[in-house]
Each structure stands twice: as C-alpha cells, then as structure tokens.
Amino acid sequence: MTSSHIDCHFCLQSLRGRKYVLREENAYCVPCYDSLYANPCEECKQPIECNSKDLAYKGRHWHEGCFRCAKCSRSLVEKPFAAKDEVLLCTKCYSDEYSSKCFHCQKTIMPGSRKMEFKGSSWHESCFVCQYCRQPLGTKPLITKDNENYCVPCFEKQFAHHCYACKKVITSGGVTYHDQPWHKECFVCAVCKTQLSRQKFISKDEYSYCVDCFSKFYAKKCAACKEPITALGGAKYISFEEHQWHGECFNCVKCSESLVGQEFLTQQDGILCHKCGSA
C-alpha cells in the first residue's frame, strides 16, 4: 500500500508516497515491518521480507526459493512432501529412505496413500485382499493360513472343519475323537452334558460318557467289591457265567489267593481256590 497522509507507527517517518504494511490497524514502513515482524527462514536464516512469499509448515517458515527437499534439493512449492525428524523431503526421497514395503507386492507404500497394517507388516490397501475371493479386507475380520489372509466366509468354505455334533464351523478350540472334529463345548457326556475334552470318558454305541455317568448307568458291578467295572485304561476284568470281577478282586473268598489264570470252584456268589474248595 502507499499513503499520502500517515506516518510509520514505529519510526514515525512519513509514509507519504511510500509502501507500507498494516498490522493490527497500525501502519509500518517496509523496513520497520521487516525488522520487527518478518519470520526468519528455516533454510537461510534470513528474514522473509514482506515483499517475498512466506511458506509456512507447522510453525516454521521458508522463502519460496528455500522450500526444497533436504536430500535432492528439488523445490517443494505446490508439491507433495513429507517430514522426518523436522527435515522436509520430496515423496520420492522419503519413500526411498523411510517408506514401508508392501508385504504382498514388495513395492513402496508412498506417503499419503492408505496403508493397512496387520501382524507387524504393511500392505497397500489394494493388496490387502482375501486370497480366495480377492475382495478388500479393510477392517473386516480375517483368518490367516500359510501367510495368506482370508475373509471369514471364504476360510470357512475352503478350510474349516464342521462339528460332528452341531454341524457348525469350528474356528477355534476344537477337539478330535475317532477322526471326527468337535467343538470343545459340543464334546460332552451324553447324560450330564459335562465337557469331556479334559477328563477321562468312555464311549458306548457312538455316545461318550463321563466315568461317573457310565458307571451309574452302564457299568457292570464287580461280584466281590460291588464297585463298577469300567475297564478304564485297559484294566483287566474276569467274566464267568453272569458274574464279573475286577482282576484284583478275583480272589478266593477264604484264603484271598488270586485266582487269575488258576482253576477255581464256585460257591453261590463266591469263588474258591481248588484247595479251599476241596476242604
């Protein structure tokens, strides 16, 4: 601006016919304004005078000619750029030095483009897709198999096992019994519904039972101790006519000698060794 009737607010010299700058309703001659208010350039440290273009970024200022890439010196005026440790770089130099490589295509993920991150690796948005249907995964739930990512429907279709009991997909926590997959919560005692995955159990007629239920409803009773015979762990038992014994209970009722593999005689519900029976 030029004026013919006001004075500089700082030096009080007439501004008649001279350029001046208004700041907070006060007029300053150009030299006073520059000395009082001009921002120092980050690059050359000289003041950015009012007749020069002042380029600002995050509270710092540059002359137009000083606003350049710190590595290749290309001008950044009206160009995309990035900052690293307060140093300005063109996108090419920044990419060469610092940008992540896409896990899928191994190409640089350029600054300003959308980057997807998963398990410590980065992808271009266009590369972060389901391996089967090729649809973008974005922030959808996904499952990884052999370093490939799948949306949940495709993974279930291609790889997931279905529970033998409820027929639904097993995504985690499954158990296998007789080559059949089960949800852990579906593999239960047929009577009391207690989960069997962490306890001993017995199977009968395609059903599985906890030891207590099997003993209560199905196990035969030992003729000697009257306790159930479950045969857990391959335990031996002896059967004769309509009676059964635990191997350790198959003893002479008089002398308590084990009769396993020996000749014996029966006496009502008891058994005798040959010697006691003869006597």
Side-chain angles (χ1 to χ4, degrees):
M1 292 183 180
T2 59
S3 175
S4 60
H5 61 280
I6 56 177
D7 298 331
C8 173
H9 183 70
F10 186 72
C11 71
L12 304 180
Q13 293 185 20
S14 174
L15 297 176
R16 182 177 298 172
R18 300 171 63 189
K19 289 183 178 180
Y20 69 94
V21 182
L22 283 175
R23 181 184 175 90
E24 298 176 355
E25 299 183 358
N26 295 317
Y28 297 86
C29 64
V30 171
C32 287
Y33 180 86
D34 288 341
S35 65
L36 292 172
Y37 301 113
N39 296 306
C41 175
E42 286 287 328
E43 178 63 24
C44 69
K45 310 306 179 186
Q46 298 300 311
I48 304 173
E49 299 172 341
C50 65
N51 59 354
S52 299
K53 196 169 186 178
D54 185 335
L55 300 179
Y57 175 72
K58 289 189 175 181
R60 297 186 295 159
H61 301 264
W62 288 262
H63 289 105
E64 185 175 14
C66 295
F67 196 60
R68 297 178 176 276
C69 172
K71 185 174 183 182
C72 70
S73 298
R74 291 194 181 105
S75 174
L76 300 177
V77 178
E78 297 183 358
K79 302 281 179 57
F81 64 91
K84 179 70 175 178
D85 300 328
E86 298 189 352
V87 174
L88 302 185
L89 299 167
C90 65
T91 53
K92 183 179 184 306
C93 289
Y94 183 88
S95 298
D96 292 343
E97 291 290 323
Y98 304 110
S99 287
S100 304
K101 296 292 190 295
C102 176
F103 184 83
H104 177 73
C105 69
Q106 295 303 308
K107 294 181 180 179
T108 298
I109 301 175
M110 300 296 288
S113 61
R114 191 172 184 187
K115 178 174 68 173
M116 309 304 296
E117 294 186 348
F118 179 66
K119 289 187 176 181
S121 298
S122 301
W123 280 263
H124 291 110
E125 185 178 23
S126 58
C127 292
F128 194 58
V129 298
C130 171
Q131 179 66 18
Y132 185 72
C133 69
R134 311 308 297 177
Q135 293 300 307
L137 290 169
T139 56
K140 297 177 184 176
L142 61 91
I143 300 173
T144 300
K145 178 179 173 63
D146 300 330
N147 288 328
E148 299 290 355
N149 299 319
Y150 299 84
C151 63
V152 173
C154 285
F155 182 86
E156 292 178 352
K157 181 179 180 180
Q158 292 293 108
F159 304 109
H161 295 291
H162 289 76
C163 176
Y164 183 76
C166 71
K167 310 306 178 185
K168 294 181 180 179
V169 169
I170 300 172
T171 56
S172 63
V175 296
T176 300
Y177 179 64
H178 282 183
D179 296 325
Q180 298 291 351
W182 305 67
H183 288 113
K184 183 170 61 176
E185 57 272 20
C186 291
F187 190 57
V188 297
C189 171
V191 176
C192 69
K193 307 305 179 184
T194 301
Q195 288 190 22
L196 300 176
S197 59
R198 294 186 179 180
Q199 64 172 298
K200 292 181 179 180
F201 61 90
I202 302 169
S203 293
K204 176 180 173 63
D205 300 330
E206 297 186 0
Y207 293 97
S208 297
Y209 304 85
C210 66
V211 175
D212 289 342
C213 288
F214 184 85
S215 299
K216 181 178 179 180
F217 292 100
Y218 297 107
K220 297 182 182 298
K221 301 295 191 297
C222 175
C225 71
K226 309 305 179 184
E227 293 296 321
I229 300 174
T230 62
L232 276 176
K236 294 181 179 180
Y237 70 96
I238 293 89
S239 180
F240 178 71
E241 295 181 345
E242 295 181 356
H243 301 292
Q244 289 80 30
W245 292 262
H246 293 109
E248 62 272 19
C249 294
F250 194 61
N251 304 320
C252 174
V253 295
K254 285 190 175 181
C255 67
S256 299
E257 179 182 353
S258 174
L259 298 178
V260 177
Q262 306 295 324
E263 292 183 356
F264 64 90
L265 302 173
T266 60
Q267 184 183 57
Q268 295 180 350
D269 290 338
I271 52 175
L272 299 168
C273 66
H274 192 271
K275 180 177 178 181
C276 292
S278 298

